[in-house]
Amino acid sequence: MFKPETYILRRKALKDEIRTGLAIFPGNTEASFNYPANTYHYRQDSTFSYFFGINQPDLAGIIDFETGAEILFGNDVDMDDIIWMGPQPSIADRGAQAGIKHTAPLADFARYIEEARTAGRKVHFLPPYRGETKIQLSEILGIMPKEIKESASVDLIRAVVKLRAVKSAEEITEIEKMVDVAYLMHTTAMKMAHPGIIEQEIAGTIEGIALANAGPVSFPVILSINGQTLHNHYHGNVLAEGRMMVVDAGCESEETLYSSDITRTVPVGGKFSSRQREIYEIVLNANLKAIEAIKPGIPYREIHLLAARVITDGLKAAGLMKGDTDEAVAAGAHALFFPHGLGHMLGMDVHDLEGVGENFVGYDDEITRSKQFGTAFLRLGRRLQPGFVLTVEPGIYFIPALIDQWKTEGKFTQFINYDKVEAYKDFGGIRIEDDVLVTDNGYRVLGKPIPKTVEEIENLMRR
Ligand code: GLY
Ligand code: MN
């Protein structure tokens, strides 16, 4: 945990945003409390952790905007708990770690809310994303589970996004520590990426590095020689010469929940073929140009489109695309090869704040989500602010089913050389992802630099 002042100041900042009613924050319970016990790793709710800091199940918090009260609800352990979990601090002691003076048994949480509702006061809550929390809120608030998300407080969503999106120095330090663990994960994966090894050996090794150095992986490891499948969690292939291995992986701090999210792509065996190198340099150029464009005030969608233009120019030079670059990108033709967004906010959730609704995080009244295939998947489109931490992750993929579909439909034949593309259907995919802080006048790539030029990767992988 951070020091108590951090949590005191965060709750005070929330009180400065909302003046009426009270906000309730149910912490996460165990995902499998009874049978089968011990199945899932416990993960606290990120927003609960942001305001109350304590990673233990069956807690709840209230911030009362009218009375100023801040209450932590939870039960002290009994002898059964001590037998299974060992001695635990009292709820009062845990509250003190987050600067909370007022604690109460968990049963009082529902009573406090009931009294507030009876008095006609507004009860703000965030959209729940877990079944258990939906049921808990449904029972306390008397709202059907299927209606609970729509009943969430937009005022609270906006206020929490405003606070959590801008990272403080201590939050940036936490993220940067996680990027440094990702350095170990990725450089280890690169050194192991030689013909004959099974993907699972590498995936398991780097997950172990996360656990040994920080905490769990921040999302299930994506590692595959079939990188054309964007989120490939199948790890059963044997690495073979001629393939490229995509590794998209990061870790999260066990204690504070901040995460990293890094992607590197390397040629199996450590030497790029000229065809691999040509496509790789395009993705690298898009990654570098996009990072260089980061500064406060610029809409991230503009940078996404800049990356799309760099990719289109590169693919034109390689003979895979043709025509006017701006027209091709405006039409969305690049999305055959780059069918996802350039990046997303990063913080306590790998797609930070995803649970409250992505459009609240990545878009606003000025910049709304595009409906065009490709750009529609961009999670962050709005103007950047100092303190945002985001990912920059362009890619080029050759997805045989998508190529076949577009070719059959005769889609964008003025921009795509389908005959040439046919020869790349066995290529796979490439993605290069870094975690970047928006500073007062530009950007800073977080963490120890992880090899990403052709030369750096070939040097590291040389045996
Ligand atoms: N690292 C996985 C993702 O950004 O979706
Ligand atoms: Mn990512």
Side-chain angles (χ1 to χ4, degrees):
M1 276 176 74
F2 297 118
K3 55 195 180 323
E5 289 68 34
T6 293
Y7 303 100
I8 292 169
L9 288 175
R10 287 173 176 181
R11 293 190 298 268
K12 181 178 177 311
L14 187 67
K15 289 178 186 171
D16 290 341
E17 293 295 324
I18 303 179
R19 297 289 174 192
T20 57
L22 62 150
I24 62 173
F25 299 96
N28 279 342
T29 188
E30 293 277 12
S32 64
F33 186 66
N34 294 316
Y35 179 82
N38 278 323
T39 305
Y40 299 106
H41 179 84
Y42 177 70
R43 174 58 156 80
Q44 182 56 283
D45 171 69
S46 298
T47 301
F48 181 88
S49 183
Y50 183 81
F51 289 114
F52 298 93
I54 309 159
N55 292 341
Q56 122 184 4
D58 303 316
L59 300 175
I62 281 183
I63 300 176
D64 193 319
F65 301 120
E66 290 163 23
T67 67
E70 299 174 343
I71 313 170
L72 175 70
F73 299 89
N75 297 331
D76 285 328
V77 292
D78 60 18
M79 189 48 73
D80 277 359
D81 296 321
I82 291 171
I83 290 167
W84 289 94
M85 303 154 58
Q88 302 292 320
S90 68
I91 295 298
D93 287 348
R94 298 294 267 147
Q97 291 176 318
I100 297 262
K101 295 193 185 79
H102 188 167
T103 59
L106 190 58
D108 288 1
F109 181 53
R111 266 201 288 281
Y112 195 102
I113 296 167
E114 181 58 34
E115 277 171 26
R117 289 177 66 228
T118 308
R121 301 175 65 208
K122 168 86 179 160
V123 177
H124 301 269
F125 61 92
L126 294 175
Y129 52 89
R130 276 198 182 184
E132 293 89 344
T133 318
K134 277 188 193 169
I135 293 167
Q136 180 192 20
L137 287 181
S138 167
E139 287 173 352
I140 294 177
L141 299 166
I143 301 171
M144 292 293 285
K146 68 175 185 313
E147 286 159 12
I148 202 102
K149 269 196 160 181
E150 297 80 73
S151 310
S153 163
V154 172
D155 287 346
L156 185 61
I157 292 172
R158 289 195 198 286
V160 168
V161 167
K162 184 172 169 187
L163 301 184
R164 279 184 52 190
V166 176
K167 272 62 179 181
S168 66
E170 62 188 351
E171 292 178 288
I172 293 160
T173 301
E174 286 296 292
I175 296 172
E176 200 148 33
K177 278 192 231 164
M178 295 307 110
V179 179
D180 285 346
V181 177
Y183 171 95
L184 293 174
M185 295 164 72
H186 282 274
T187 51
T188 301
M190 289 176 192
K191 288 177 193 157
M192 291 177 77
H194 287 274
I197 192 165
I198 301 174
E199 291 164 341
Q200 187 174 358
E201 287 183 51
I202 309 178
T205 301
I206 67 172
E207 183 152 354
I209 292 174
L211 286 164
N213 289 278
V217 285
S218 44
F219 54 92
V221 169
I222 295 163
L223 183 153
S224 183
I225 53 171
N226 286 317
Q228 74 279 8
T229 300
L230 303 185
H231 282 180
N232 202 333
H233 298 296
Y234 174 73
H235 300 144
N237 296 303
V238 179
L239 268 61
E241 199 90 48
R243 302 294 302 173
M244 301 200 75
M245 180 181 77
V246 172
V247 182
D248 183 347
C251 60
E252 92 175 7
S253 157
E254 185 83 53
E255 181 68 17
T256 58
L257 308 184
Y258 289 88
S259 57
S260 55
D261 181 11
I262 300 284
T263 307
R264 289 292 183 266
T265 307
V266 300
V268 173
K271 189 99 189 91
F272 286 81
S273 69
S274 58
R275 188 172 85 145
Q276 288 171 337
R277 184 184 184 127
E278 182 174 37
I279 303 297
Y280 187 89
E281 296 280 15
I282 301 170
V283 181
L284 180 63
N285 196 22
N287 168 284
L288 295 172
K289 291 272 172 14
I291 290 172
E292 280 164 21
I294 290 175
K295 59 180 179 192
I298 189 167
Y300 201 52
R301 184 157 67 206
E302 234 173 71
I303 304 184
H304 168 85
L305 293 172
L306 166 70
R309 285 195 300 276
V310 173
I311 285 171
T312 302
D313 278 338
L315 290 173
K316 276 167 58 181
L320 294 160
M321 290 187 76
K322 59 189 173 182
D324 181 76
T325 298
D326 290 345
E327 282 175 25
V329 170
H334 62 279
L336 176 62
F337 308 100
F338 175 36
H340 62 75
L342 182 64
H344 50 85
M345 295 273 213
L346 178 76
M348 300 175 88
D349 306 308
V350 71
H351 298 156
D352 205 19
L353 287 147
E354 195 172 36
V356 303
E358 215 172 61
N359 285 348
F360 286 110
V361 185
Y363 292 91
D364 55 19
D365 294 340
E366 182 199 357
I367 300 174
T368 54
R369 191 183 281 266
S370 162
K371 292 189 169 52
Q372 186 184 74
F373 175 79
T375 304
F377 303 128
L378 177 62
R379 300 176 196 277
L380 171 63
R382 66 180 165 117
R383 290 182 190 277
L384 302 182
Q385 295 171 25
F388 281 10
V389 174
L390 46 86
T391 67
V392 180
E393 48 181 311
I396 292 179
Y397 313 86
F398 296 89
I399 306 169
L402 187 64
I403 294 167
D404 289 346
Q405 189 195 61
W406 281 32
K407 189 177 171 186
T408 305
E409 290 172 1
K411 207 164 164 175
F412 299 132
T413 46
Q414 69 277 39
F415 300 123
I416 297 165
N417 283 325
Y418 284 104
D419 287 350
K420 186 93 192 273
V421 173
E422 277 295 322
Y424 281 74
K425 275 178 164 173
D426 63 349
F427 186 95
I430 294 173
R431 178 163 65 253
I432 307 173
E433 176 178 26
D434 290 302
D435 300 341
V436 182
L437 168 72
V438 183
T439 61
D440 286 338
N441 41 27
Y443 67 88
R444 184 163 73 80
V445 180
L446 295 178
K448 184 170 166 183
I450 303 171
K452 69 175 175 180
T453 66
V454 166
E455 195 183 18
E456 286 164 354
I457 289 170
E458 288 189 344
N459 281 342
L460 187 91
M461 291 180 74
R462 190 165 291 129
R463 280 183 151 165

